[in-house]
């Protein structure tokens, strides 16, 4: 017979049992979070169930809820961790390179490397997790992140236009959105099996449309 706790686990409902209250945590939280990150990265948000997560993290549902909250809260923490550990190359490129074009060139080249790195899922977690996502709050959160990235590129382009590095008639918004489309497309291409070399070739083509002062 299935216990009430087991039924709650299968339903994705937090189990709040007196048997687990106060029990010391018997797993490494950082390791469990990394395993959850890999599960969401591989399968996306919607297709990754609580049961999938507990298997991947090697913990029970009560421990998951006690340490991370519900599935959505865990995913939000995963996205933060992903951004810090795997997805920060774009921000660094824009901040460290002397021009918007140089920043985008570095961003696209590093995306080609990051999205095809061995030993982990290919593509971008933030882009892939949004596919077939029917949870409105998660979908909106991921959309805001993608749009924030495009806005950062646009701001960097505007700076170069004001400084005379790019022509005054440069359409910063369109150029930034074009770059965002390239990044998103490279993520999907990587998941479809494109190699680093093939993605770097796409980056070269993408950069060819950039205006010159």
């Amino acid at each position: 017979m299935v216990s009430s706790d087991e039924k709650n686990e299968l339903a994705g409902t937090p189990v709040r049992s007196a048997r687990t209250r106060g029990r010391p945590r018997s797993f490494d939280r950082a390791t469990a979070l990394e395993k959850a990150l890999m599960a969401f990265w591989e399968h996306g948000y919607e297709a990754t169930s609580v049961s999938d997560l507990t298997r991947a993290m090697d913990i029970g549902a009560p421990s998951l809820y006690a340490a991370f909250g519900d599935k959505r809260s865990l995913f939000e923490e995963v996205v933060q961790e992903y951004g810090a550990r795997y997805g920060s190359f774009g921000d660094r490129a824009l901040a460290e390179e002397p021009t918007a074009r140089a920043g985008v060139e570095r961003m696209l080249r590093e995306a080609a490397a990051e999205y095809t790195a061995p030993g982990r899922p290919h593509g971008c977690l933030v882009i892939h997790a949004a596919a077939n996502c029917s949870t409105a709050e998660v979908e909106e959160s991921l959309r805001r992140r993608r749009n924030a990235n495009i806005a950062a590129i646009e701001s960097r382009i505007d700076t170069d236009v004001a400084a005379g590095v790019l022509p005054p008639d440069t359409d910063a918004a369109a150029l930034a959105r074009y770059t965002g489309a390239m990044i998103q497309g490279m993520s999907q291409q990587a998941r479809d099996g494109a190699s680093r070399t093939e993605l770097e070739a796409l980056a070269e083509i993408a950069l060819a449309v950039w205006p010159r002062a």
Side-chain angles (χ1 to χ4, degrees), residues 2-24:
V2 178
S3 69
S4 60
D5 281 2
E6 289 171 331
K7 288 178 180 177
N8 284 338
E9 281 194 33
L10 293 173
T13 303
V15 179
R16 305 192 183 281
S17 168
R19 292 173 299 170
T20 62
R21 192 176 300 125
R23 180 178 295 171

Side-chain angles (χ1 to χ4, degrees), residues 137-196:
E137 296 86 355
V138 172
E139 186 179 21
E140 176 59 25
S141 175
L142 295 173
R143 184 184 300 113
R144 284 198 304 269
R145 285 182 171 274
R146 294 193 303 272
N147 286 337
N149 290 338
I150 292 172
I153 298 169
E154 182 178 351
S155 177
R156 191 69 178 82
I157 294 170
D158 279 332
T159 298
D160 279 9
V161 172
V165 176
L166 289 171
D169 61 348
T170 298
D171 189 336
L175 193 55
R177 193 158 294 280
Y178 167 77
T179 303
M182 288 301 305
I183 290 282
Q184 292 170 27
M186 289 171 71
S187 172
Q188 185 58 54
Q189 287 287 307
R191 292 194 67 86
D192 289 344
S195 68
R196 175 177 177 175

Side-chain angles (χ1 to χ4, degrees), residues 21-70:
R21 192 176 300 125
R23 180 178 295 171
R25 186 179 299 156
S26 59
F27 64 93
D28 181 77
R29 192 181 189 282
T31 299
L33 181 63
E34 178 70 7
K35 290 177 178 179
L37 188 156
M38 291 297 165
F40 280 125
W41 195 350
E42 178 65 34
H43 303 293
Y45 178 80
E46 207 69 38
T48 306
S49 67
V50 171
S51 295
D52 293 332
L53 290 166
T54 56
R55 282 194 297 271
M57 300 164 77
D58 195 26
I59 62 176
S63 295
L64 185 155
Y65 289 117
F68 300 101
D70 59 12

Side-chain angles (χ1 to χ4, degrees), residues 108 178 182 198-210:
L108 294 176
Y178 167 77
M182 288 301 305
E198 289 171 328
L199 294 182
E200 286 174 341
L202 291 180
E204 287 292 334
I205 295 171
L207 289 165
V209 308
W210 273 69

Side-chain angles (χ1 to χ4, degrees), residues 99-112:
T99 66
R101 188 186 190 283
V104 167
E105 179 177 8
R106 174 175 159 185
M107 183 189 304
L108 294 176
R109 291 189 184 283
E110 292 190 8

